[in-house]
Amino acid sequence: MRHFLKKVFITERELIPLWLLRQIGRLILPRYRFKWIQLDWWDNDDFTQYLSRYDELRRLNTDRRWMLHQLLRLIEGIPGDTAECGVFKGASSHLILCANRSSAIERTHYAFDSFAGLSQPDTMDGQHWTSGDLSVPEAIVARNLTPLGNVQLMRGWIPSRFSEVAEHQFAFVHIDVDLHQPTLDSIRFFYPRMPAGAILVCDDYGCSTCPGATQAIDDFLHDKPEKMLALPDGGGFFIRATTTAAAASLG
Ligand SMILES: C[S@@+](CC[C@H](N)C(=O)[O-])C[C@H]1O[C@@H](n2cnc3c(N)ncnc32)[C@H](O)[C@@H]1O
């Protein structure tokens, strides 16, 4: 037994609760897949504090938050600003701003949101969402994000304010609007403004609650060299392979 535990890197103290959880899970939610718990980042105090600040420890997004935090490490040296489409309370923009603060490149973060929740879902979006869902007052987002650095809150329905940053290039873009049309509008606008090495993350990619967002990304990328990497806990990203004439001229 001890030999087996050593092999799977789990302590005896944790094994019994985990086994019990799996037995209960098997009964009440058989589809649910458990995973190993011996993950270093679960003990990262700074990250845990960040998660608590946005009440994320009680939600189910912690893995995606960690992934975003890690992906941001890859853009050091890539020129450009950063953007988020769909901000909610600002938890993802918070991570982006922290990365910008420790970057040698001076960046402005542009945070686009209606601050009135989701727009009207279309037929590709299924039944999960209703317009107005996930609305957060701009003042709350401003309170969360402005102390963290150089951020511009861009209030309005996507894509109405994109034209104001048409001359910028972007090293990192986070799209998280849950719906087909604003996802498509966002990737269409930002893709040609990303230099080689820039990263685009779509938080909704591969989530069954957001079929329209996944479709928008797949349709847009089908004739492009980049491929979306679907992440095991939802969301996906690609790294810009080449620089288009537009991004090159902005650089
Ligand atoms: C899932 S939440 C974003 C979560 C956020 N990225 C985070 O880190 O917690 C979706 C956001 O998209 C915004 N949104 C949805 N459709 C939009 C549209 N057409 N134009 C502007 N904002 C939109 C909503 O107001 C909401 O804040």
Side-chain angles (χ1 to χ4, degrees):
M1 181 64 162
R2 198 170 290 271
H3 180 68
F4 169 74
L5 292 177
K6 231 179 168 173
K7 239 181 148 167
V8 297
F9 306 107
I10 193 162
T11 65
E12 283 171 66
R13 201 166 53 83
E14 290 170 324
L15 185 70
I16 293 167
L18 186 60
W19 179 82
L20 274 173
L21 265 179
R22 286 177 60 204
Q23 297 308 100
I24 296 167
R26 213 172 266 174
L27 287 176
I28 60 177
L29 194 55
R31 262 185 90 233
Y32 190 71
R33 298 179 187 186
F34 284 83
K35 59 184 173 188
W36 293 116
I37 57 174
Q38 64 281 33
L39 301 166
D40 284 347
W41 71 270
W42 284 13
D43 299 318
N44 180 319
D45 290 339
D46 290 344
F47 201 75
T48 302
Q49 213 175 347
Y50 151 77
L51 292 171
S52 324
R53 181 173 170 169
Y54 290 93
D55 204 20
E56 290 284 324
L57 287 168
R58 291 198 299 163
R59 296 178 207 233
L60 304 172
N61 297 330
T62 60
D63 292 21
R64 296 219 296 285
R65 302 291 183 211
W66 178 255
M67 196 65 210
L68 182 61
H69 173 58
Q70 291 298 296
L71 285 171
L72 282 159
R73 296 172 58 213
L74 299 182
I75 58 158
E76 193 47 60
I78 306 297
D81 290 320
T82 56
E84 180 170 48
C85 304
V87 182
F88 193 51
K89 293 180 187 165
S92 302
S93 280
H94 180 122
L95 292 174
I96 298 171
L97 279 161
C98 289
N100 288 359
R101 205 164 47 181
S102 57
S103 169
I105 297 173
E106 206 168 298
R107 308 186 197 275
T108 298
H109 180 58
Y110 292 91
F112 295 90
D113 203 293
S114 63
F115 300 115
L118 268 57
S119 46
Q120 186 63 44
D122 66 30
T123 50
M124 299 174 88
D125 291 311
Q127 303 299 315
H128 189 77
W129 300 111
T130 307
S131 65
D133 283 352
L134 303 173
S135 161
V136 172
E138 185 176 352
I140 291 180
V141 183
R143 196 187 62 208
N144 288 341
L145 299 183
T146 45
L148 298 173
N150 194 4
V151 59
Q152 295 283 330
L153 299 186
M154 308 293 276
R155 181 194 190 95
W157 294 106
I158 289 167
S160 63
R161 299 202 58 191
F162 285 170
S163 57
E164 293 171 45
V165 294
E167 298 308 314
H168 297 226
Q169 61 175 349
F170 291 87
F172 197 92
V173 179
H174 189 243
I175 301 177
D176 190 4
V177 282
D178 296 318
L179 303 177
H180 175 258
Q181 191 59 51
T183 301
L184 189 59
D185 291 336
S186 301
I187 193 169
R188 270 186 186 147
F189 176 81
F190 284 104
Y191 180 91
R193 292 171 174 81
M194 294 167 63
I199 294 182
L200 186 145
V201 178
C202 176
D203 185 77
D204 311 313
Y205 190 79
C207 296
S208 53
T209 48
C210 304
T214 303
Q215 192 66 52
I217 301 282
D218 284 344
D219 287 349
F220 181 84
L221 287 181
H222 91 276
D223 59 352
K224 310 287 186 298
E226 293 85 2
K227 293 286 162 273
M228 200 71 173
L229 200 96
L231 297 167
D233 290 290
F237 74 96
F238 67 81
I239 302 179
R240 193 76 163 84
T242 50
T243 300
T244 53
S249 69
L250 298 169

